[in-house]
Amino acid sequence: MKVGSLFSGIGGIDLGFEQAGFEIAWANDIDASACKTYRHNFPNTHLIEGDVRDIDPHMLPNIDVLVAGFPCQPFSIMGYRRGFKDPRGNLFFEISRFIDIKRPRIVFLENVRNLMEHDNGKTFLVIYNTLAQFGYSVKYKVINATDVNIPQNRARIFIVAFLNIEDCDRFAFPEADPLEVTIEDIIDRSVKHDDIYYYGSNSRYFKTLNAKIVDKTGIYRIDDSGVATRKWDICPTLKANMGTYSDRVPIIRDDFGIRKLTPMECLAFQGYPKEYSFKGISLESAYKQCGNTVCVPIIRKIADNIIGR
């Protein structure tokens, strides 16, 4: 089955579908840095770099599945929650434009959990009704990364819509697995990383961090309320603002001091394979991409269930 991917980012959704045996026919994203990462890891996929509003779907090959992790900031409780009043929120209607023209057998959407509650449920109803008006039967579920044995608190809504009612009836979202992987399975505190990740004595947080992070267990973070107000036994939600505000990257103490998670550790907390990597982009862009992407094993399990594994 062939997949077309909108708002592909660094390819987390595409990777999960590819792992399940789907073929990524084409992808699109507007972010130049994300496109660099995508091309580095998907060298054989036709990637269209540019504004989705400038793309004519008629010019693209037909597909069986349309996937889209469309911009979540307009609906996130961490943002202004302007929804469809935000230009990024209006990009959902670009997805509907593609659906109207390509009529894929299946539509797969991912967004923040708050999408269901945004504007007293009206936003979600618009999305649901849009899919229904095109003849799709819709199923949706909120799934956390911990439900697929990934130790990160990351709850997202996943929407799967089927043009064929029988396909919809056969499909079920994956059941939750017990969380057995720990943060210590992902982080090796005995490895010294580049000094750029460590909080030195010149940091305004240095004294506070050293006073609060006294042992080499758990993960901490800096947020609006202050420093290390809670020790997490799983990774707190990785956010795109890690790329804008470097101190928003989760923090640990290792054998060499107090440091931020590295981008590769962040990818591991999103369930990416070790061979996935960044090339030719800034550290800030890498962190932003880690926060903007998806938990790959969730996508893989849903894609497996779509094809009836």
Side-chain angles (χ1 to χ4, degrees), residues 97-133:
R97 180 170 66 92
F98 273 73
I99 293 171
D100 188 26
I101 293 171
K102 305 306 285 186
R103 291 301 169 111
R105 179 175 165 186
I106 299 162
V107 177
F108 174 94
L109 305 176
E110 179 268 351
N111 211 282
V112 292
R113 179 177 187 168
N114 192 59
L115 181 70
M116 294 183 67
E117 289 79 35
H118 182 267
D119 197 15
N120 296 316
K122 294 177 183 177
T123 296
F124 182 77
L125 190 60
V126 168
I127 293 171
Y128 188 101
N129 286 344
T130 298
L131 293 168
Q133 287 168 6

Side-chain angles (χ1 to χ4, degrees), residues 220-235:
Y220 295 80
R221 74 183 317 165
I222 297 170
D223 56 29
D224 292 340
S225 62
V227 175
T229 55
R230 171 184 175 186
K231 182 199 293 191
W232 292 70
D233 57 1
I234 63 172
C235 184

Side-chain angles (χ1 to χ4, degrees), residues 31-289:
D31 186 279
S33 183
C35 287
K36 283 185 179 180
T37 301
Y38 191 102
R39 290 191 188 95
H40 177 58
N41 293 280
F42 294 86
N44 299 319
T45 297
H46 175 48
L47 176 66
I48 307 149
E49 181 178 336
D51 194 323
V52 65
R53 290 167 289 197
D54 296 332
I55 299 175
D56 180 0
H58 292 100
M59 303 302 293
L60 296 173
N62 290 332
I63 49 174
D64 302 291
V65 185
L66 180 68
V67 304
F70 59 108
C72 64
Q73 293 89 345
F75 312 106
S76 172
I77 59 173
M78 302 305 295
Y80 293 107
R81 289 183 280 185
R82 294 182 61 210
F84 290 136
K85 295 179 182 178
D86 187 314
R88 295 170 298 180
N90 285 325
L91 290 174
F92 166 74
F93 299 108
E94 291 301 311
I95 299 173
S96 67
R97 180 170 66 92
F98 273 73
I99 293 171
D100 188 26
I101 293 171
K102 305 306 285 186
R103 291 301 169 111
R105 179 175 165 186
I106 299 162
V107 177
F108 174 94
L109 305 176
E110 179 268 351
N111 211 282
V112 292
R113 179 177 187 168
N114 192 59
L115 181 70
M116 294 183 67
E117 289 79 35
H118 182 267
D119 197 15
N120 296 316
K122 294 177 183 177
T123 296
F124 182 77
L125 190 60
V126 168
I127 293 171
Y128 188 101
N129 286 344
T130 298
L131 293 168
Q133 287 168 6
F134 285 129
Y136 287 84
S137 301
V138 182
K139 289 185 176 181
Y140 57 92
K141 185 176 182 180
V142 173
I143 304 176
N144 200 317
T146 55
D147 295 331
V148 294
N149 202 22
I150 296 293
Q152 183 198 169
N153 180 44
R154 190 179 194 85
R156 293 291 187 268
I157 186 169
F158 298 90
I159 303 168
V160 187
F162 299 85
L163 203 53
N164 186 316
I165 186 63
E166 294 178 354
D167 289 342
C168 185
D169 290 341
R170 282 192 295 265
F171 172 79
F173 283 99
E175 296 296 324
D177 293 328
L179 179 60
E180 297 174 342
V181 175
T182 72
I183 59 175
E184 304 306 327
D185 294 319
I186 292 177
I187 298 170
D188 187 346
R189 299 178 193 258
S190 67
V191 173
K192 173 69 168 64
H193 289 274
D194 192 287
D195 289 342
I196 193 172
Y197 300 112
Y198 289 85
Y199 283 88
S201 57
N202 60 336
S203 168
R204 64 191 179 102
Y205 295 112
F206 183 75
K207 289 184 178 180
T208 307
L209 288 171
N210 274 278
K212 291 191 175 184
I213 306 179
V214 296
D215 57 51
K216 290 178 281 189
T217 62
I219 298 181
Y220 295 80
R221 74 183 317 165
I222 297 170
D223 56 29
D224 292 340
S225 62
V227 175
T229 55
R230 171 184 175 186
K231 182 199 293 191
W232 292 70
D233 57 1
I234 63 172
C235 184
T237 305
L238 298 171
K239 301 173 183 177
N241 69 358
M242 296 188 302
T244 306
Y245 308 101
S246 63
D247 291 321
R248 297 306 170 97
V249 181
I251 304 164
I252 65 165
R253 180 184 284 277
D254 66 14
D255 292 348
F256 308 93
I258 294 175
R259 67 170 176 86
K260 306 163 188 173
L261 296 181
T262 68
M264 295 308 296
E265 288 170 330
C266 291
L267 283 184
F269 277 115
Q270 296 280 33
Y272 275 73
K274 291 182 178 179
E275 59 268 22
Y276 208 93
S277 62
F278 299 103
K279 183 179 181 181
I281 64 170
S282 68
L283 182 61
E284 291 77 13
S285 291
Y287 278 127
K288 176 184 176 182
Q289 291 169 18

